[in-house]
Amino acid sequence: MEFRVFLSGKYDRGSALLSIYAGAGGQDAQDWAAMLLRMYLRYSDRKGWKTRIIEQSFGDPGPEGRIGIKSVALTVEGTHAFGFLKKETGVHRLVRISPFSAQSLRHTSFALVEVLPEISAQDEQKLEIKPSELEVESYKSSGPGGQNVNKRMTAVRIVHLPTKLTVTAQSERSLAQNKEQALKLLYAKLYQLKEQEKVKTLAELKGKAVSIEWGNQIRSYVLHPYKMVKDLRTEVETSNTEGVLDGDIDQFVEVELKV
């Protein structure tokens, strides 16, 4: 009953669209983004949710090939997926001995996590996107290399001209399916933007400053010189870093819901 109260938002019962973006820092940041992707995939498995990657930009090439990811977007399908994941939005910070440093130096990496609801067809209609406002471009799907790299022009990039929002999709085999996935992501981003504008207007009326998401660090994962994962909003912390990175994040998520 308690969780029903905290998961009573408009889209809390539905599926989620989760994106991860590597921050500055080259391979370290891109590797960190890949670690976060694995964490959320494992967490979704624990919850019995289905995940599907709809777009992925692989990391820069190195001596051992491409390592990590620059960005990734995936759907998380399941009951209350958005409700549980929505407060994971923000900057995640990693401190560790860099595996890419010849001098074994300690390195700090950042990645941005963005969680959006899968919005209803009714709300999509309210957003009123005109075809003339969209710039649609097809291109070849990218991959880490090898025989399975897609050679056909099936990937889709859509730019919403009024807001300059850009979305891409490349996981499906057909251009039409990728366009459908990209539009779903675009509608979710536009819905979020509309909701943020409401919050901004309310905050301005109250005289409060609005925080910028990219600078809103929410959690630190320290692997050196000690082991500690700490949520900076709730002060919840644990030394079980291996468990957390393996998807055991319930202790953070459950407290975040009640804040």
Side-chain angles (χ1 to χ4, degrees), residues 232-244:
L232 305 179
R233 301 162 296 178
T234 62
E235 300 298 318
V236 173
E237 60 182 48
T238 179
S239 59
N240 183 19
T241 55
E242 290 85 359
V244 170

Side-chain angles (χ1 to χ4, degrees), residues 15-230:
S15 300
L17 298 167
L18 188 148
S19 300
I20 304 170
Y21 305 92
Q27 286 188 315
D28 275 289
Q30 292 162 15
D31 188 46
W32 174 222
M35 291 168 66
L36 283 173
L37 172 61
R38 179 182 180 275
M39 184 182 81
Y40 287 117
L41 290 175
R42 291 296 183 93
Y43 176 66
S44 298
D45 286 342
R46 290 169 182 258
K47 290 291 188 183
W49 300 331
K50 293 182 180 180
T51 56
R52 181 177 54 164
I53 292 175
I54 58 176
E55 190 278 330
Q56 187 167 197
S57 175
F58 293 92
D60 295 325
E64 299 179 1
R66 292 185 181 272
I67 297 174
I69 52 176
K70 293 180 179 179
S71 65
V72 63
L74 62 148
T75 58
V76 184
E77 299 177 359
T79 305
H80 289 117
F82 177 68
F84 279 106
L85 288 170
K86 61 185 178 182
K87 291 194 175 181
E88 290 297 293
T89 293
V91 175
H92 295 244
R93 170 178 173 260
L94 173 70
V95 181
R96 64 171 176 176
I97 297 293
S98 171
F100 309 106
S101 170
Q103 294 80 29
S104 297
L105 300 175
R106 189 169 64 177
H107 193 93
T108 300
S109 304
F110 296 91
L112 176 66
V113 174
E114 179 185 62
V115 183
L116 304 171
E118 192 173 82
I119 67 173
S120 65
Q122 186 178 5
D123 279 333
E124 285 184 1
Q125 292 175 357
K126 290 179 182 177
L127 291 170
E128 298 179 352
I129 299 179
K130 299 176 182 178
S132 59
E133 296 176 342
L134 300 179
E135 185 178 278
V136 182
E137 176 188 355
S138 61
Y139 62 98
K140 292 181 181 179
S141 297
S142 62
Q147 298 179 352
N148 297 322
V149 176
N150 194 343
K151 302 298 182 183
R152 298 169 58 210
M153 303 284 280
T154 57
V156 173
R157 180 183 295 108
I158 300 177
V159 180
H160 183 243
L161 298 176
T163 62
K164 304 301 180 183
L165 284 173
T166 302
V167 293
T168 57
Q170 62 177 22
S171 64
E172 303 294 344
R173 290 176 177 250
S174 77
L175 186 68
Q177 288 175 316
N178 280 323
K179 185 177 180 180
E180 183 181 347
Q181 288 291 338
L183 282 172
K184 184 182 294 185
L185 187 57
L186 178 62
Y187 275 116
K189 284 181 176 287
L190 286 171
Y191 179 82
Q192 183 200 45
L193 188 63
K194 188 176 180 181
E195 292 300 302
Q196 286 176 339
E197 287 175 353
K198 289 181 183 177
V199 172
K200 183 177 179 181
T201 301
L202 183 61
E204 287 174 349
L205 290 172
K206 292 181 178 179
K208 294 181 180 179
V210 180
S211 61
I212 301 171
E213 282 192 358
W214 183 258
N216 189 17
Q217 183 177 311
I218 65 168
R219 193 177 300 145
S220 287
Y221 307 70
V222 181
L223 305 185
H224 184 86
Y226 54 88
K227 293 183 181 290
M228 182 68 69
V229 180
K230 182 174 182 178

